[in-house]
Amino acid sequence: MTRFHLYLLSFILCVGVLVLWEFCAKGSSVPSVSEVWNCFIELLENGRIQTSIIDSLIRFCVGLVIGGVLAILLGLFLGRFKAVQIVLEPFIQILRPISPIAWLPLVVLWFGIGEGGAIFVIVYAVFFPILLLTIAGVRQINPNLIAMAKNFNASEGLIFRKIIIPGAFLYISSSLKLAASIAWIHLVAGEMLGIQSGLGYLIIDGRNLVRIDMVIVAMVLIGSLGFVITLLFNALEKRIQKSLGGLQ
């Protein structure tokens, strides 16, 4: 089968699922595809979908950038100086397995109900995956390159700029792709902290109004946008790998 036929088969399968959904939803408490579509058009016409998507994407970008920058800087440092990582290792390994959702009660106490809490959840969710992959990226660099640079009296700043950062760049780009998916997943949880906008709030609002069709619209939008974000970061990663000679 060619790639075109596989895509065609995937499209036919999606259409078949929608048809089956429409047929099975008749007479049940689950909204049919047509009812969900009508709700989508309603929310689109009153502007709620556009506003929700924009607000969610802003929070997503802010949280990903803050968490990414902090994790990359610390990861480069710990990867370069293993002694410091050994000192901080207990804190990293204890905090890393804790789900960002478990922090929600404390987040409300610290930040209150609003943007700060939602962004904290995203920052925490992306921090450790990026941190660990950045450290791994630094550690896989040939130590002979660093030793050679030291023999030529290169400063630590020069070693970071010319050896550490370029050598770990593929790992960093891969970590950002992984973190983008994690950030988008936890965005919904963050938006359920009483924020009055975003796709997560759209789910809460639909639940409060007992409008399952609104809930499903928000869920489909979250999944679709998450898929688009993954495609964008896949393309970015491949472009970076190709520019660095990782792909032919």
Side-chain angles (χ1 to χ4, degrees):
M1 272 191 178
T2 65
R3 185 177 292 270
F4 170 78
H5 290 103
L6 292 174
Y7 283 136
L8 181 61
L9 181 61
S10 178
F11 175 76
I12 293 173
L13 180 61
C14 290
V15 173
V17 169
L18 292 177
V19 172
L20 182 63
W21 176 6
E22 178 74 20
F23 176 78
C24 293
K26 299 298 183 182
S28 71
S29 59
V30 178
S32 64
V33 176
S34 56
E35 290 171 330
V36 172
W37 175 256
N38 291 335
C39 178
F40 172 77
I41 297 300
E42 173 194 336
L43 296 174
L44 195 64
E45 289 177 345
N46 63 29
R48 288 200 63 183
I49 284 181
Q50 298 89 318
T51 303
S52 298
I53 290 176
I54 292 172
D55 290 343
S56 290
L57 286 176
I58 290 175
R59 294 185 190 108
F60 165 79
C61 292
V62 171
L64 183 61
V65 168
I66 294 175
V69 170
L70 293 176
I72 290 171
L73 291 177
L74 183 59
L76 292 172
F77 184 76
L78 296 183
R80 176 71 181 93
F81 302 106
K82 190 171 184 178
V84 182
Q85 185 196 354
I86 293 174
V87 172
L88 297 180
E89 189 72 12
F91 299 97
I92 295 174
Q93 295 305 328
I94 290 173
L95 293 174
R96 181 179 61 85
I98 301 175
S99 169
I101 308 302
W103 289 90
L104 291 182
L106 292 176
V107 167
V108 173
L109 290 176
W110 294 338
F111 299 99
I113 297 175
E115 298 288 340
I119 292 175
F120 173 85
V121 169
I122 298 172
V123 170
Y124 190 91
V126 305
F127 180 81
F128 290 102
I130 298 177
L131 174 68
L132 296 178
L133 277 174
T134 302
I135 292 174
V138 175
R139 293 287 163 76
Q140 58 80 40
I141 297 173
N142 189 341
N144 293 330
L145 294 176
I146 298 176
M148 188 182 303
K150 284 187 172 182
N151 289 336
F152 284 97
N153 296 319
S155 65
E156 280 296 334
L158 187 63
I159 291 175
F160 266 96
R161 292 197 306 272
K162 299 298 183 180
I163 299 176
I164 301 297
I165 295 177
F169 203 69
L170 284 176
Y171 279 74
I172 293 173
S173 66
S174 296
S175 72
L176 289 174
K177 181 183 73 172
L178 173 64
S181 298
I182 295 174
W184 190 249
I185 291 171
H186 288 86
L187 170 70
V188 177
E191 288 182 337
M192 290 180 177
L193 287 173
I195 296 176
Q196 301 297 306
S197 65
L199 294 171
Y201 172 70
L202 200 61
I203 291 178
I204 296 296
D205 197 31
R207 182 202 65 184
N208 293 338
L209 295 173
V210 198
R211 290 200 56 182
I212 306 302
D213 53 349
M214 185 185 297
V215 174
I216 294 177
V217 167
M219 291 172 62
V220 171
L221 286 173
I222 291 169
S224 300
L225 287 172
F227 180 53
V228 171
I229 289 171
T230 299
L231 292 178
L232 290 175
F233 274 86
N234 281 339
L236 178 62
E237 183 185 31
K238 289 179 180 179
R239 188 183 182 101
I240 292 172
Q241 288 179 339
K242 188 173 182 179
S243 65
L244 294 179
L247 290 174
Q248 300 297 326

